[in-house]
Amino acid sequence: MRFRAKIDHVLTFSRIVQTVEKLAKQCVIRWSPDSLQIICPGGENEGGVQVWSGRGPLQKSLFSDYKIESGSNNEINMEVATEPLYQALRSAQSSPDVIIKLAKKDDHAVLNFDVQAVSQQGKTIQVTHDVRINVIRLSEVEKLQEPQCPEPDVHIILPPLAKLRTVTDHMRPLSTLLGVSANRAGGFSLKIQTEEVAVETVWSGCDVPKITYDDEEGVQADPEEWHHAIVSVKSFLQFLSSYVVSTTTIACICQDHCLIMYVYIGEVEDHGGVLTFYIPARNP
C-alpha cells in the first residue's frame, strides 16, 4: 500500500479541514487514483450534521505528482482525527513545497507531511509532521451512505456566509432553534421565534438557480411562497464555519425535513470541488 502526492494548494486544503474540524473530531478520507472524498457521517455531533465532498474535483485541484497503490482497486480509506490533521496543514501554509505520504511510525500508519520551511537565519530546513490514522476496509466505508432526502422545495444562492455567520451569532443567545426560509423569487430569511422574542433578518434579490420543479398536479407554485425548516442554531453555525473556503453556496430547503447546502470550493465554473452539508430539521 503506497500513497504520495505534492500539495499544490495547502491553504485551500487547510481551510477545508478547518471547516470539517469545527464539525467532527474524526473524518473519513477516501483516496483513489482519480478522486478524493472527505466524509463526516454525523454520528458524533449534536445536530446530526453530515458532510460529504464529491469524489472527483478535489484531488485534481489540490494535488500534483499524485501516486497511489493498494490491493483494493488502488483505493486507500482512512479515518483520521481532524484537529492534528488541521494543525499539520496549518503549520505548512507558508511552505512552497509540501509532500504528503502514507508511512509507518512505531508500527502504526501515519500521514507524513514533509514540509520545506525557512529558518529565522534564512536557511532552508525540512520539517516533518506525522498524523496518526486508521486504515479501514472498503467494505466498512461502503456502509456509509449519503442521506436520502425528498426533492427540495426551493434552491437559492446564499448571501456571503461570513455575513450570515455574523447575523446568526447575534441570534444565538436568544434561542437554540433557528428558522431558515426561502422562496423562488430570491428571498431568504433567518428567524428566531420564542414566547419572549421574535427576530428576523430578510435578504431579497438573491440569485436563484434555474431549476425545473415538479409541483403537484403540474400546477406552477407561486414563486413568492416561502418554504421553511427549523434547525439547531449550533448546527447552522457549524455549517457557516465553511465561510473560510466558500465562494458560492447553494441552499436547498426540504420543507420541515432538512437543509442541503452545497459549498463550492473555488469558482463554480472551475469545478474545484463541493462540500455538501446535510442539516436535519428540528421540531419547534
Side-chain angles (χ1 to χ4, degrees), residues 228-250:
H228 316 272
I230 296 174
V231 299
S232 158
V233 174
K234 183 177 180 179
S235 296
F236 197 71
L237 281 169
Q238 287 174 326
F239 145 69
L240 289 174
S241 66
S242 63
Y243 82 94
V244 296
V245 75
S246 166
T247 53
T248 299
T249 301
I250 297 178

Side-chain angles (χ1 to χ4, degrees), residues 152-171:
D153 297 286
V154 63
H155 300 70
I156 193 166
I157 297 177
L158 293 182
L161 297 191
K163 293 183 179 179
L164 296 185
R165 185 169 177 260
T166 299
V167 171
T168 308
D169 264 331
H170 288 148
M171 291 181 169

Side-chain angles (χ1 to χ4, degrees), residues 12-240:
T12 300
F13 194 19
S14 174
R15 286 176 173 174
I16 292 170
V17 175
Q18 178 184 0
T19 297
V20 172
E21 189 267 338
K22 298 292 184 183
L23 187 71
K25 294 180 179 180
Q26 292 185 317
C27 69
V28 173
I29 303 181
R30 304 186 67 179
W31 309 86
S32 71
D34 56 2
S35 72
L36 161 67
Q37 186 175 36
I38 300 173
I39 303 171
C40 290
E44 67 178 74
N45 62 70
E46 175 187 310
V49 182
Q50 296 193 39
V51 179
W52 292 72
S53 71
R55 290 211 65 185
L58 275 180
Q59 186 252 58
K60 296 179 181 178
S61 63
L62 294 176
F63 305 104
S64 62
D65 297 331
Y66 187 94
K67 299 176 183 178
I68 185 169
E69 296 178 11
S70 81
S72 301
N73 299 319
N74 290 328
E75 182 172 304
I76 299 175
N77 302 288
M78 61 182 66
E79 189 175 51
V80 57
T82 53
E83 183 178 0
L85 179 59
Y86 172 56
Q87 293 300 330
L89 287 165
R90 185 181 180 185
S91 67
Q93 285 181 7
S94 60
S95 173
D97 192 5
V98 181
I99 302 296
I100 181 175
K101 58 187 176 183
L102 186 64
K104 270 195 172 184
K105 184 176 182 180
D106 299 328
D107 291 326
H108 203 285
V110 298
L111 273 179
N112 173 270
F113 292 82
D114 192 2
V115 180
Q116 186 181 94
V118 179
S119 69
Q120 292 182 343
Q121 291 74 32
K123 295 182 179 180
T124 300
I125 56 175
Q126 294 297 124
V127 180
T128 298
H129 299 278
D130 291 319
V131 178
R132 189 165 174 166
I133 64 168
N134 291 317
V135 177
I136 53 182
R137 295 178 180 178
L138 179 60
S139 59
E140 292 299 313
V141 180
E142 289 178 339
K143 292 178 182 178
L144 301 175
Q145 298 293 327
E146 287 194 60
Q148 297 297 310
C149 303
E151 194 68 26
D153 297 286
V154 63
H155 300 70
I156 193 166
I157 297 177
L158 293 182
L161 297 191
K163 293 183 179 179
L164 296 185
R165 185 169 177 260
T166 299
V167 171
T168 308
D169 264 331
H170 288 148
M171 291 181 169
R172 184 177 189 175
L174 304 177
S175 175
T176 59
L177 298 178
L178 175 72
V180 181
S181 307
N183 63 28
R184 300 176 189 176
F188 181 74
S189 163
L190 297 178
K191 184 177 182 179
I192 293 289
Q193 179 81 53
T194 69
E195 293 181 357
E196 293 80 19
V197 65
V199 178
E200 183 176 20
T201 300
V202 179
W203 288 261
S204 60
C206 297
D207 290 332
V208 178
K210 294 181 180 180
I211 302 290
T212 300
Y213 295 94
D214 295 326
D215 294 309
E216 293 184 6
E217 300 177 356
V219 178
Q220 185 64 39
D222 180 2
E224 299 289 342
E225 179 184 357
W226 289 83
H227 302 274
H228 316 272
I230 296 174
V231 299
S232 158
V233 174
K234 183 177 180 179
S235 296
F236 197 71
L237 281 169
Q238 287 174 326
F239 145 69
L240 289 174

